[in-house]
Amino acid sequence: KPICYAYPVLDFTYDSGMGEMMAAMLAWMAEQERKMIVRRVKSGLAARKAKGLRLGRVPLPMKTLNHARRLRQTGLSYAEIGRKLKISKASAFNALAKSWAAIPRSTKLASTLWRIASS
């Protein structure tokens, strides 16, 4: 069977020497492209870090977090909270998990929140 279906004129098969060489060449080119992408991403991140800019996503606003917390206390699921606030279910879950993790468990409020979050 030919390796390259996009160019049927170049009907190289893997069992011929030419086909094996073409497969190795394409693999090498793909590897070099991947290395170039990695270098570009790393240099872009380094440049942003040098400028003191944020790396990664912007956190959800506190207003959204508080609203999500209130919705969760009313018994809504994470999916329903996500739909209501126009964020993903995973974002709702992660935001609430992080906000409750910041509260020490020893406080009465924290124990109530942990009990609500685990239900």
Side-chain angles (χ1 to χ4, degrees), residues 10-63:
L10 301 174
D11 191 19
F12 298 120
T13 56
Y14 194 73
D15 57 348
S16 71
M18 187 61 86
E20 198 171 333
M21 191 241 355
M22 286 298 291
M25 179 85 84
L26 290 172
W28 177 82
M29 289 170 63
E31 184 181 350
Q32 295 307 309
E33 183 66 26
R34 182 70 192 139
K35 285 179 181 178
M36 209 174 354
I37 291 170
V38 168
R39 278 195 299 265
R40 282 193 217 123
V41 168
K42 284 184 178 181
S43 69
L45 288 173
R48 284 188 67 84
K49 192 172 184 178
K51 290 179 184 177
L53 299 173
R54 170 178 292 285
L55 300 177
R57 291 185 177 197
V58 177
L60 291 174
M62 189 55 72
K63 182 179 176 182

Side-chain angles (χ1 to χ4, degrees), residues 4 7 9 12 22 29 38 40 43-44 50 56 78 82 87-88 98 110:
C4 185
Y7 300 101
V9 176
F12 298 120
M22 286 298 291
M29 289 170 63
V38 168
R40 282 193 217 123
S43 69
Y78 293 111
I87 59 176
S88 71
K98 287 177 188 171

